Amino acid sequence: MRAALVYPLLASLMLAAGVARGQSAAADSASLLPLPMFDPPPLRSGAAPVAIAARTPLPTPAQPPAGALDSPAASFAADDFAAESYPVIGHAWQEPTEALPAASRSGVVPPAPDMMSTCGTCSACQSGCAGGCGSWQGCIPLGGSPYFQALNTAGVPPINLAGMRFNPGYWFGSLDGLVMTRDLPNGLSTTYNSSNVNTNLMNTAQAKGNWAGGGQVMFGRWFGPQAYGFQFIYWGLTPMTGTASVVDPNYQLSTPFNLGGVNIGQQSPTFYFDNAHEHALWRKDGFNNFEWNALRRLTFGCCAPRLMFTGIAGLRYFRFQDGLIFGAVNSNNFSDAGGAYAAYLNTGVTNSMVGCQLGTRIDYFIFPRVRLYAQPMMGFFGNEVSMREHLYSGDGQQGFDVLARRSTVSTLGQIDLGAGYQITSRFSAFAAYRLMGVTRVGLADNQIPAFWADQQGMQNIKTNGDLILHGVMIGGMYNF
């Protein structure tokens, strides 16, 4: 009933505005009267009302003379009226400075379908679009501003290069810096005072890994309506190192390991490791990660959704290398006499994990340019563990050299918690905290045998260790 009364009145006002404009064209100085205020079409049943930005109505213009309704000026004014855009204020966080400019007859191209609001499926949005559902006038692009679409800017004309067709805005990539460290290693005792077997002067936990820098590169592409896509990720760290040592000028350093039944060249290991001048530990860890993921993106909310959900499923390869050297010298320095007074037990373990993972990324826009996000991932991996246990002296004399392999199943979980700021419609900066845990891995500390003569037992790699990595990531994302 209301619509039946409003639309005839609306048509009359439109025609009146056209006549007024036609009359003004004949005047010495042309002017356009502002459009009158009008109510939106009625809402569908159950739809929430959407506030319309109000304009201050002016007095109704004088009744046009007879025959003016047939003038070209009247139809011209009606076209001008239809092209006007009434901004929809759907959320308090939509700042006026973020609103898109209104459409005009100056050739402004309407947003591509990918950038349009969800008014096709939301009754509240339909009531807020000046042109109704299916019309872009008055509809807010997805997210309330061009900065909502952090991974795409559809609508850029395709580019033809060397016979290939590229769609700008569908490709995206990022380059990030990483700073990470690992959890404290197991504390396996290596040294005690020769005069007191109950002392513990050094253990492997003292050679803990330091903070290591690295980087991550990511690129991917969206397809179709940009709801489906893929991404490739690589990240790695520079070697994570740690050292520890203890010196006794009285040569009273010994090791609790049983060194019987083993020789290094013609010498017993006790020559180097018991009643020694110095014991030392050197640790070196390496991390490399490759991922290929399929993406499925959804948004929740009407007209200007704050929440964006991206489902992730893919393949992952993660490699973790843990190396630990335990050295001893019964001279002042490890290099004395070409290393003839020094010996080393070098333990290296490599975990090569391949498997499938599932996860999601949740973006919440607290402002059109500012978002918080969380990206949890979980996967099961086949872990091929290889180990080398090598005993030798500083001048090249050999003790034993044991190689072993073992397969197991590991689990890997990771979560990134961060915030992003959309600097332009194509470029955003972000910072995040990353926490990562891996179960059932081989650690170097766990492989050192209590009896060094048990080389058969060394073949049984211990994979009951766990690894935790954490750190910060800062970078930028660009779509092209």
Side-chain angles (χ1 to χ4, degrees):
M1 182 68 181
R2 183 181 179 184
L5 295 176
V6 172
Y7 290 149
L9 177 60
L10 175 60
S12 300
L13 294 177
M14 290 167 52
L15 294 176
V19 171
R21 179 169 180 168
Q23 291 173 340
S24 65
D28 294 335
S29 58
S31 63
L32 292 177
L33 290 176
L35 297 175
M37 178 61 183
F38 73 100
D39 292 329
L43 300 178
R44 287 188 179 181
S45 177
V50 180
I52 304 299
R55 298 182 179 184
T56 303
L58 294 179
T60 303
Q63 185 68 22
L69 295 178
D70 299 326
S71 67
S75 61
F76 180 79
D79 292 340
D80 189 32
F81 174 81
E84 282 292 336
S85 174
Y86 283 80
V88 180
I89 309 302
H91 295 277
W93 58 277
Q94 291 175 230
E95 297 294 336
T97 56
E98 299 293 344
L100 290 178
S104 69
R105 292 172 295 137
S106 60
V108 175
V109 180
D114 299 328
M115 290 289 287
M116 290 187 67
S117 72
T118 57
C119 69
T121 59
C122 181
S123 59
C125 263
Q126 291 176 17
S127 66
C129 295
C133 184
S135 174
W136 64 274
Q137 286 94 353
C139 291
I140 298 177
L142 186 61
S145 79
Y147 305 104
F148 182 89
Q149 301 252 3
L151 294 181
N152 62 282
T153 53
V156 182
I159 300 174
N160 293 310
L161 296 175
M164 298 181 65
R165 185 181 178 90
F166 296 90
N167 291 304
Y170 286 80
W171 289 93
F172 57 90
S174 68
L175 187 63
D176 323 320
L178 290 170
V179 180
M180 302 186 74
T181 189
R182 60 165 289 186
D183 58 332
L184 192 66
N186 296 330
L188 179 65
S189 179
T190 62
T191 307
Y192 68 91
N193 187 281
S194 301
S195 61
N196 186 357
V197 70
N198 295 319
T199 57
N200 181 14
L201 301 181
M202 188 172 68
N203 62 70
T204 57
Q206 293 176 251
K208 60 182 180 180
N210 61 353
W211 288 84
Q216 173 175 295
V217 60
M218 181 272 289
F219 68 87
R221 192 186 194 280
W222 293 105
F223 295 95
Q226 303 194 9
Y228 298 91
F230 74 89
Q231 67 176 183
F232 173 82
I233 299 174
Y234 166 77
W235 63 264
L237 300 172
T238 58
M240 191 178 294
T241 60
T243 60
S245 63
V246 57
V247 177
D248 190 332
N250 298 318
Y251 289 74
Q252 292 294 302
L253 301 178
S254 295
T255 183
F257 301 122
N258 190 322
L259 308 180
V262 179
N263 285 330
I264 304 177
Q266 301 300 317
Q267 294 284 357
S268 169
T270 58
F271 172 77
Y272 308 95
F273 290 92
D274 287 341
N275 299 313
H277 174 70
E278 182 178 358
H279 281 184
L281 293 166
W282 297 268
R283 185 182 299 275
K284 183 178 180 180
D285 295 339
F287 304 90
N288 288 278
N289 179 88
F290 298 85
E291 298 176 51
W292 184 91
N293 296 312
L295 308 175
R296 174 68 170 100
R297 188 166 63 183
L298 301 169
T299 56
F300 296 90
C302 179
C303 284
R306 290 193 180 197
L307 187 64
M308 185 164 65
F309 170 91
T310 305
I312 304 172
L315 303 175
R316 185 170 192 162
Y317 171 77
F318 179 70
R319 186 177 186 182
F320 162 47
Q321 296 172 290
D322 189 19
L324 182 65
I325 299 176
F326 173 40
V329 61
N330 65 0
S331 182
N332 289 332
N333 300 290
F334 281 91
S335 58
D336 289 352
Y341 297 99
Y344 308 88
L345 178 67
N346 190 342
T347 307
V349 184
T350 299
N351 296 265
S352 299
M353 290 171 274
V354 179
C356 301
Q357 63 179 3
L358 295 173
T360 182
R361 174 171 169 138
I362 303 171
D363 291 81
Y364 181 76
F365 290 78
I366 53 178
F367 300 108
R369 292 192 186 217
V370 181
R371 66 185 182 276
L372 304 177
Y373 72 88
Q375 182 172 321
M377 303 291 295
M378 185 70 185
F380 293 91
F381 298 82
N383 186 2
E384 184 71 15
V385 186
S386 60
M387 187 270 294
R388 183 183 185 185
E389 197 85 66
H390 190 194
L391 180 64
Y392 54 93
S393 67
D395 60 352
Q397 301 298 313
Q398 299 298 308
F400 54 75
D401 194 353
V402 178
L403 301 176
R405 287 184 177 273
R406 180 178 180 180
S407 298
T408 187
V409 176
S410 301
T411 59
L412 186 152
Q414 176 182 310
I415 185 169
D416 293 350
L417 300 173
Y421 180 79
Q422 202 71 27
I423 300 175
T424 71
S425 61
R426 289 180 177 267
F427 179 73
S428 64
F430 61 90
Y433 171 76
R434 172 170 291 175
L435 176 63
M436 179 176 175
V438 190
T439 67
R440 295 194 59 78
V441 295
L443 300 176
D445 311 72
N446 295 353
Q447 313 309 319
I448 299 177
F451 300 92
W452 287 13
D454 185 18
Q455 298 170 33
Q456 185 65 32
M458 298 178 194
Q459 298 282 341
N460 183 23
I461 302 177
K462 285 76 174 176
T463 58
N464 58 340
D466 300 318
L467 170 70
I468 296 177
L469 280 173
H470 68 102
V472 295
M473 175 173 60
I474 300 176
M477 179 179 294
Y478 185 81
N479 60 294
F480 50 93

